């Protein structure tokens, strides 16, 4: 296991160095999240003045979603497509190291984006947290943990660098629009508020809101946090079932389907048990 | 036995890429797999690497099964793929550092030492994207020898390199052999097989058609030699013809003969000169090259359907 981690750490360092040497990556990691922040701040801030802190859970959720899903799948597909993975395979490195390194990388860029957003939001818009910063960090980490595995799954399943962003978009749109992240939850019609219980991002917004607005500790949030955790674990298991070293290996769609069904089942249960959500409340 | 392959077959759908290969490699030496494109060289090497599963037959590398014992084998075998892609935004030293982390601690040699070995020390901090083709191949070789492998599998290590870069790589491979590493490489350069390899295995359409040292292959194939003879005056070629040399006409002052037994022809020539009171003014001989032998074995390049 130590060997697996050592290899993952070395691969992770390599990803990080390559990212720091490329300008487009810096753009997607830092500039784009800031652009989002300003659009949110000026547009929605105007609709609901004095409610800036209430907007931040939605904004963070968008950043976590895109940061967890987007570049990781492209990086993985590129490595497979260009034969980097095939070359790695000739050495005694385990697939776990490779997936882990990509996961840590996605997590890092996501966390960096959120951090930049939070700092700039504080300086420009006076964003403040009612709970502790640590609690916020924990919930952001949890959000990343729940979604990064699915970015990795796309990286293993997608056939090339054109398909990967398409698949990511297909994942991202329901995650953003069905939850209260792209549009404030309170503005969604009631049927959509119900449907929102079927996607993990709703619980992400809820958890973030709990620590930012209501000042709860992450463990006090309850079911939403639990759901994110379970989602992440299923995603991790899914990765073990779908990883591919080479594009010539068959995609194990049956495993993808199986894991998706388990996940769907959990969210259907959540849908019917209706864990109490606070994100619809409090907009004056 | 370093490599033991018996009755190896590999099919891709209806295509039989390997048709019952038997191959044994003793420790040491450089063995070249020579053959045209599509002969099955890469399939054979990648089967030994454990990247491809055999359809039938038995494969043992260092006594291990490349599929089942893949992890164990990879600690002892070094390999270079035909088209190696190396992350372009990392430096040579970083790439080797990452590869070193794949092996148990202490197993991989220090990066600086390996870079020195492949003459890339000045490029240690250069990004991979800035390397020339030859430097990239040397880096790929460095990745393959990082852990001091007992067997080195190189798939077309010199394809696309200029003659100088190719010579440099040959020297490197020879030095590895001299250090006791067994090398198996594929090539479609005949001169490479002749200059570099201690043993040449010629593949054609998924089967082995010849196997031996370059010298042995030349002997065994017994191609025809050409003799050009120029004498002080006209001569009667009967003794030469009796010795198996066939007259082929005249090139200026030279009479041309073709023979499968040049030694007998030269002896007969001496007798002829003495018997007819002539002196030899010039003698030239062209022995069959490995290329002639190879073309005889492999046949003309097949014209693929749809190529026009």
């Amino acid at each position: 296991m130590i060997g697996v981690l050592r290899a993952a750490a070395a691969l992770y360092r390599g990803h990080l160095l390559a990212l720091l040497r490329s300008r487009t990556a810096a753009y997607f990691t830092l500039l784009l999240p800031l652009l989002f922040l300003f659009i949110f701040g000026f547009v929605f801030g105007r609709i609901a003045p004095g409610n800036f802190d209430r907007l931040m859970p939605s904004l963070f959720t968008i950043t976590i979603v895109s940061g967890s899903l987007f570049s990781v799948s492209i990086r993985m597909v590129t490595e497979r497509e260009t034969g980097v993975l095939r070359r790695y395979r000739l050495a005694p490195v385990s697939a776990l190291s490779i997936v882990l390194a990509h996961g840590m990388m996605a997590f890092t860029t996501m966390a960096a984006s959120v951090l930049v957003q939070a700092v700039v939001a504080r300086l420009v818009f006076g964003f403040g947290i009612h709970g502790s910063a640590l609690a916020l960090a924990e919930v952001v980490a949890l959000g990343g943990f729940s979604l990064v595995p699915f970015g990795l799954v796309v990286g293993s399943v997608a056939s090339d660098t054109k398909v990967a962003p398409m698949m990511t978009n297909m994942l991202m749109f329901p995650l953003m629009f069905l939850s209260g992240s792209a549009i404030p939850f309170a503005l969604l019609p009631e049927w959509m508020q119900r449907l929102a219980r079927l996607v993990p991002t709703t619980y992400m917004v809820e958890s973030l809101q709990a620590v930012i607005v209501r000042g709860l500790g992450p463990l006090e949030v309850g079911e939403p946090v639990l759901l994110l955790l379970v989602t992440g674990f299923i995603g991790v298991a899914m990765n073990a079932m779908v990883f591919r070293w080479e594009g010539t290996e068959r995609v194990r769609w049956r495993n993808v389907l199986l894991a998706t069904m388990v996940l769907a089942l959990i969210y259907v249960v959540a849908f019917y048990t209706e864990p109490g959500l606070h994100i619809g409340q409090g907009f004056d | 036995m370093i490599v033991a392959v018996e009755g190896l077959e590999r099919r891709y759908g209806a295509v039989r890429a390997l048709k019952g290969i038997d191959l044994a490699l003793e420790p040491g030496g450089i063995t070249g797999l020579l053959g045209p494109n599509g002969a099955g060289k890469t399939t054979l090497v990648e089967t030994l690497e454990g990247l491809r599963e055999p359809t039938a037959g038995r494969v043992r590398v260092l006594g291990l099964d490349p599929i089942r014992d893949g992890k164990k084998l990879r600690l002892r075998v070094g390999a270079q793929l035909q088209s190696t892609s190396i992350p372009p935004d990392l430096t040579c030293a970083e790439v080797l550092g990452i590869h070193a982390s794949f092996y148990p601690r202490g197993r991989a040699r220090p990066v600086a030492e390996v870079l020195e070995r492949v003459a890339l020390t000045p490029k240690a901090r250069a990004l991979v994207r800035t390397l020339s083709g030859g430097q990239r191949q040397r880096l790929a070789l460095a990745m393959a020898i990082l852990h001091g492998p007992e067997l080195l599998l190189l798939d077309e290590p010199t394809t696309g390199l200029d003659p100088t870069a190719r010579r440099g790589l040959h020297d490197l491979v020879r030095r590895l052999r001299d250090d006791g590493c067994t090398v198996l490489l594929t090539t479609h350069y005949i001169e490479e097989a002749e200059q570099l390899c201690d043993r040449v295995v010629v593949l054609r359409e998924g089967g082995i058609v010849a196997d031996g040292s370059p010298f042995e292959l030349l002997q065994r194939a017994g191609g025809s030699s050409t003799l050009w003879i120029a004498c002080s005056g006209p001569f009667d070629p009967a003794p030469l013809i009796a010795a198996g040399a066939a007259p082929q006409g005249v090139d200026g002052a030279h009479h041309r003969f073709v023979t499968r037994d040049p030694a007998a022809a030269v002896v007969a020539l001496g007798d002829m000169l003495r018997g007819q009171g002539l002196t030899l003014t010039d003698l030239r001989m062209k022995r069959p090259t490995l290329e002639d032998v190879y073309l005889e074995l492999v046949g003309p390049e097949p014209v693929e359907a749809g190529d026009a």
Side-chain angles (χ1 to χ4, degrees), chain A residues 2-3 6-8 10-11 13-15 17-18 21-22 79 82-84 86-95 98 246, chain B residues 46 49 51-52 71 74-75 79-81 84-87 89-91 94 98-105 127 140 143-144:
Chain A
I2 288 171
R6 201 162 64 92
L11 284 165
R13 185 171 167 270
H15 292 320
L17 286 167
R21 284 174 189 146
S22 100
E79 279 198 344
T82 55
V84 171
R86 193 160 201 263
R87 180 60 193 77
Y88 286 162
R89 199 181 185 185
L90 294 177
V93 61
S94 86
I98 286 163
E246 294 185 41
Chain B
E46 291 188 350
E49 287 161 355
L51 290 181
R52 289 167 200 265
K71 273 252 163 100
R74 278 159 196 164
L75 287 171
Q80 178 181 1
L81 295 168
T84 295
S85 177
I86 308 171
D89 288 320
L90 297 179
T91 67
E94 285 162 3
I98 288 173
H99 273 263
S101 79
F102 296 164
Y103 297 91
R105 202 176 270 280
L127 292 184
M143 284 152 65

Side-chain angles (χ1 to χ4, degrees), chain B residues 47-133:
Chain B
T47 306
L48 299 179
E49 287 161 355
L51 290 181
R52 289 167 200 265
E53 224 167 318
T55 311
R58 186 171 176 276
V59 178
R60 287 291 177 275
V61 179
L62 303 169
L64 299 166
D65 181 324
I67 299 282
R68 220 184 40 226
D69 310 316
K71 273 252 163 100
K72 247 188 261 173
L73 200 61
R74 278 159 196 164
L75 287 171
R76 297 169 62 190
V77 175
Q80 178 181 1
L81 295 168
Q82 196 176 103
S83 52
T84 295
S85 177
I86 308 171
D89 288 320
L90 297 179
T91 67
C92 295
E94 285 162 3
V95 165
L96 291 178
I98 288 173
H99 273 263
S101 79
F102 296 164
Y103 297 91
R105 202 176 270 280
R107 183 71 182 240
R109 279 183 282 181
V111 167
E113 190 189 312
V114 179
L115 280 170
E116 179 73 54
R117 181 98 217 227
V118 298
L120 276 180
T121 305
K123 291 284 171 188
R125 288 160 173 275
L127 292 184
V128 170
R129 65 163 77 252
T130 65
L131 299 183
S132 71

Side-chain angles (χ1 to χ4, degrees), chain A residues 26-254:
Chain A
Y27 165 77
F28 279 110
T29 314
L30 301 178
L31 228 59
L32 212 60
L34 283 180
L35 201 69
F36 264 47
L37 170 69
F38 285 109
I39 292 171
F40 248 73
F42 291 123
V43 177
F44 290 118
R46 198 166 288 210
I47 298 171
N51 280 312
F52 190 79
D53 293 353
R54 292 176 194 280
L55 290 173
M56 287 308 280
S58 304
L59 181 60
F60 284 153
T61 299
I62 290 178
T63 309
I64 294 169
V65 171
S66 57
S68 303
L69 296 179
F70 232 101
S71 34
V72 60
S73 57
I74 294 175
R75 264 198 296 273
M76 250 176 112
V77 172
T78 307
E79 279 198 344
R80 193 171 51 246
E81 224 177 6
T82 55
V84 171
L85 288 187
R86 193 160 201 263
R87 180 60 193 77
Y88 286 162
R89 199 181 185 185
L90 294 177
V93 61
S94 86
L96 181 58
S97 299
I98 286 163
V99 175
L100 210 57
H102 278 293
M104 294 195 297
M105 187 61 196
F107 201 89
T108 306
T109 53
M110 179 279 289
S113 301
V114 171
L115 187 69
V116 164
Q117 265 181 345
V119 169
V120 175
R122 177 161 200 103
L123 295 176
V124 178
F125 299 103
F127 161 62
I129 310 163
H130 292 258
S132 70
L134 186 68
L136 175 61
E138 280 167 356
V139 173
V140 170
L142 204 63
F145 174 73
S146 73
L147 290 184
V148 166
F150 296 94
L152 296 168
V153 166
V154 172
S156 280
V157 166
S159 56
D160 57 55
T161 44
K162 286 182 218 75
V163 172
M166 267 161 52
M167 291 177 76
T168 307
N169 275 326
M170 272 165 54
L171 265 180
M172 251 167 56
F173 278 104
L175 284 177
M176 284 191 182
F177 288 100
L178 275 184
S179 72
S181 49
I183 303 157
F185 197 79
L187 303 181
L188 294 177
E190 211 202 307
W191 63 270
M192 258 180 96
Q193 286 196 9
R194 277 187 63 82
L195 223 55
R197 291 172 196 275
L198 285 169
V199 292
T201 32
T202 301
Y203 305 98
M204 204 181 292
V205 180
E206 170 75 14
S207 309
L208 286 165
Q209 207 229 32
V211 298
I212 292 172
V213 180
R214 284 183 287 139
L216 298 185
L219 288 177
E220 297 168 302
V221 181
E223 289 114 327
V225 161
L226 191 70
L227 264 168
L228 294 180
L229 257 174
V230 170
T231 307
F233 280 119
I234 292 173
V236 169
M238 202 164 168
N239 271 285
M241 305 192 297
V242 299
F243 181 78
R244 294 191 300 157
W245 290 97
E246 294 185 41
T248 50
E249 286 170 67
R250 215 169 288 162
V251 178
R252 277 162 282 180
W253 287 113
R254 260 180 50 187

Side-chain angles (χ1 to χ4, degrees), chain B residues 3 18 42 55 79 85 111 141 181 216 239 252-253 271 277 280:
Chain B
V3 170
L18 295 177
T42 296
T55 311
S85 177
V111 167
L141 188 62
C181 184
E216 281 171 337
D271 292 345
L280 188 66

